Amino acid sequence: MDLSQFMPKDLVYPKAAVSLTEEEKKDYADKIARVLKEQNAAVIAHYYCNDDVQALAESTGGFIGDSLEMAKWGKRSSYDKLIVCGVRFMGETAKILSPEKTILMSTLSAECSLDLGCPAKEFGEFCDQHPDRTVVVYANTSAAVKARADWVVTSSIAVELVEYLHSRGEKIIWAPDRHLGSYIERITGADMLRWQAHCIVHDEFKAQALEKLIRMYPDAAVLVHPESPASVVHMATVVGSTSQLLKAAGTLPHKQLIVATDSGIFYKLQQACPDKELIIAPTQGEGATCKSCAHCPWMAMNGLKEIYEALTDTANTAKHEVMVDEDIRVKALTSLNRLLEFSDKLNQKKQFQ
Ligand code: 13P
Ligand code: SF4
């Protein structure tokens, strides 16, 4: 079976959030802050969101993080309502973990190409053909795919989890990201049957052009998200999730950093290392289509106007509120809880080392 066949062909990218003047941004940020208080609500944003959305999360006491941290923060927070700024799987994850909370998104059409490239029915049939394998799926999947999995992982913990399963002699089905899957396989040596979807942002980073850039900046460290092609990962000084890259940026001695991940991360990178030169890795060069230009078109749908509307447009709740079928939610919760427990144990272990 060709496991890449489910990637949608000829994707039409959505319209980005409405662009606002500085004055309008301030006006929306003030209005949103008031509404959040009235509704006992908070903003949770992913590092790939636009700067103004991340600034809103900061100024209103919300949260910015990688996909694992977003899930954890949403679960332990005491707010009645969370407005998840990111893509739909992040909103679904919040709902699966916190069914008692109202989970809103500025739009429910914020897709992820990995999620689109792994339809639940076909994935379930594939798993049924390999009943001897443990099913591990990346968080960037629908609730229905998570419900079919034994484990959910994020990029911050995928290597450790597969290492653990491999040490127990388990053979694995991995989905959906082909690059992250091959990276984990290379590091762990685990027996993995890998689904072949890809992230349309990270897939565009180009090795040849990166090589040229490294020659121009020979003293720079290269930070790479593992959703990037293997040829790009090979040139990395550090490979890691968004949070891990941010941490590395702050601690590495290098004064120049070449960054191969979504450009939304520059908002926090600039805060983490204001004295360093930040250079985006090339998405242009041989074979480039440059559809995404290092910024996820679905993350870019999240904007201040859209967030305000989601919080106030009560006549159109269905356009914004994340709902997950209860049967699917309960099944997906089992595999997500395994992730959270594994992550907690790993953190405890690291503290004692
Ligand atoms: P992180 O888990 O590193 O945040 O990446 C998830 C992702 O791909 C968001 O688009
Ligand atoms: Fe999905 Fe890639 Fe966008 Fe992340 S950056 S949401 S993996 S398409």
Side-chain angles (χ1 to χ4, degrees), residues 46-48 65-68 87 89-90 112 114 138 140 154-156 199 202 225-227 240-243 296 299:
H46 189 267
Y47 290 124
Y48 294 165
D66 71 13
S67 51
L68 176 59
V87 294
F89 79 80
M90 295 171 177
C112 165
L114 290 169
Y138 194 27
N140 302 34
T154 62
S155 53
S156 61
C199 160
H202 291 88
H225 195 284
E227 288 171 15
S241 73
T242 45
S243 281
C296 176
M299 290 281 180

Side-chain angles (χ1 to χ4, degrees), residues 206-215 222 232 235 258 281-282:
K206 296 284 173 280
Q208 266 188 353
L210 177 58
E211 228 174 341
K212 275 191 202 152
L213 196 65
I214 293 171
R215 277 202 294 274
V222 182
V232 171
M235 284 182 247
I258 298 175

Side-chain angles (χ1 to χ4, degrees), residues 78-195:
S78 57
Y79 293 98
D80 299 324
K81 198 180 264 187
L82 301 173
I83 176 135
V84 176
C85 300
V87 294
R88 195 178 50 225
F89 79 80
M90 295 171 177
E92 284 185 352
T93 300
K95 187 68 187 175
I96 294 165
L97 293 171
S98 310
E100 74 292 354
K101 291 179 183 141
T102 302
I103 309 294
L104 297 177
M105 297 192 73
S106 52
T107 169
L108 299 181
S109 328
E111 306 283 356
C112 165
S113 63
L114 290 169
D115 180 354
L116 293 173
C118 186
K121 180 173 165 288
E122 287 80 358
F123 181 64
E125 286 165 4
F126 178 71
C127 295
D128 291 344
Q129 287 163 20
H130 304 280
D132 57 321
R133 287 182 178 259
T134 303
V135 180
V136 183
V137 302
Y138 194 27
N140 302 34
T141 45
S142 65
V145 166
K146 289 185 177 77
R148 182 62 184 79
D150 300 303
W151 291 86
V152 175
V153 291
T154 62
S155 53
S156 61
I157 207 166
V159 168
E160 285 92 340
L161 190 262
V162 172
E163 233 158 32
Y164 165 72
L165 298 175
H166 180 48
S167 73
R168 294 178 5 149
E170 295 182 37
K171 293 194 289 181
I172 287 155
I173 286 180
W174 164 263
D177 187 36
R178 64 177 179 191
H179 297 311
L180 180 57
S182 74
Y183 171 70
I184 299 166
E185 191 179 56
R186 275 198 312 280
I187 295 208
T188 63
D191 180 338
M192 294 168 73
L193 267 183
R194 291 179 281 114
W195 202 262

